[in-house]
């Protein structure tokens, strides 16, 4: 991950950590192109239709500013199993066995490709979140269909002017 993408990702995850502390759960994305733009959506976790609509709106803005980089993050609950990771929206309910709250993220740079990862967190008995270090997933991955940022990634990489992940102009 290039330093500019890492900086954008750190800013987005820091902002999301502050929101989670305030018991908010928005999706936040930073776009970098001809100018920088940050967008958020507090309904993103409501359902897949709402999430997809937000990512399409972000995709339109990304094309408008000729974005070549983005950092996308959203809080989720993950259950890691033998076949992969299942993600769901956070809720004010206790976690089920094996579940972990995370800030799931995706970062994309037109020159460096895609990175996936998460910032795990746990909660004190008072409900206050305690965040771990960001984890970059280094195993070969194929994100699940509803992985945050996937629609945005597809929109940017299907544009003829933007190279697919891992390829250079």
């Amino acid at each position: 991950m290039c330093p500019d993408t890492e900086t954008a990702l750190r800013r987005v995850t820091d902002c999301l950590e502050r929101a989670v502390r305030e018991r908010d759960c928005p999706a936040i994305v930073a776009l970098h192109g001809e100018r920088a733009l940050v967008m958020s959506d507090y309904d993103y976790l409501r359902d897949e239709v709402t999430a997809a609509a937000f990512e399409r709106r972000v995709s339109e803005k990304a094309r408008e500013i000729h974005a070549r980089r983005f950092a996308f993050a959203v809080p989720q609950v993950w259950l890691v199993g033998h076949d992969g990771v299942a993600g769901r929206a956070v809720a004010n309910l206790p976690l089920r066995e094996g579940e972990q709250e995370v800030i799931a993220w995706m970062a994309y740079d037109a020159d460096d490709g895609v990175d996936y990862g998460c910032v795990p967190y746990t909660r004190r008995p008072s409900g206050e979140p305690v965040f771990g270090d960001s984890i970059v997933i280094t195993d070969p991955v194929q994100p699940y269909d509803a992985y945050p940022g996937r629609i945005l990634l597809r929109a940017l990489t299907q544009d003829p002017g933007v190279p697919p992940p891992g390829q250079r102009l």
Side-chain angles (χ1 to χ4, degrees):
M1 181 180 319
C2 77
D4 290 337
T5 304
E6 188 174 351
T7 298
L9 179 61
R10 188 174 306 115
R11 287 182 180 154
V12 167
T13 57
D14 286 351
C15 185
L16 197 47
E17 286 179 18
R18 284 190 300 277
V20 168
R21 282 187 187 96
E22 295 171 7
R23 301 202 187 278
D24 286 332
C25 298
I28 302 175
V29 61
L31 302 170
H32 293 257
E34 292 173 348
R35 64 186 176 97
L37 179 65
V38 176
M39 298 175 71
S40 65
D41 188 291
Y42 284 84
D43 293 329
Y44 185 88
L45 293 173
R46 184 173 57 201
D47 56 48
E48 288 184 33
V49 172
T50 304
F54 174 65
E55 289 196 39
R56 283 192 209 68
R57 287 192 308 275
V58 171
S59 299
E60 291 170 12
K61 290 294 184 184
R63 285 190 190 111
E64 283 178 25
I65 67 168
H66 304 281
R68 296 189 48 79
R69 173 181 307 112
F70 73 79
F72 194 109
V74 64
Q76 288 190 320
V77 174
W78 280 7
L79 177 61
V80 179
H82 297 289
D83 297 333
V85 175
R88 70 170 175 86
V90 294
N92 290 326
L93 304 170
L95 296 175
R96 291 174 261 187
E97 188 174 332
E99 289 185 328
Q100 168 71 56
E101 286 183 288
V102 300
I103 293 173
W105 58 259
M106 176 189 291
Y108 169 76
D109 181 275
D111 293 327
D112 293 324
V114 183
D115 289 289
Y116 304 95
C118 68
V119 177
Y121 62 98
T122 57
R123 292 188 185 268
R124 293 190 168 123
S126 66
E128 178 187 355
V130 178
F131 296 93
D133 293 330
S134 188
I135 297 168
V136 177
I137 298 170
T138 56
D139 294 331
V141 295
Q142 180 64 33
Y144 53 88
D145 287 338
Y147 195 89
R150 187 144 182 204
I151 292 171
L152 173 59
L153 176 65
R154 284 181 182 159
L156 288 181
T157 59
Q158 289 175 357
D159 182 340
V162 178
Q167 292 186 4
R168 299 187 183 275
L169 286 174

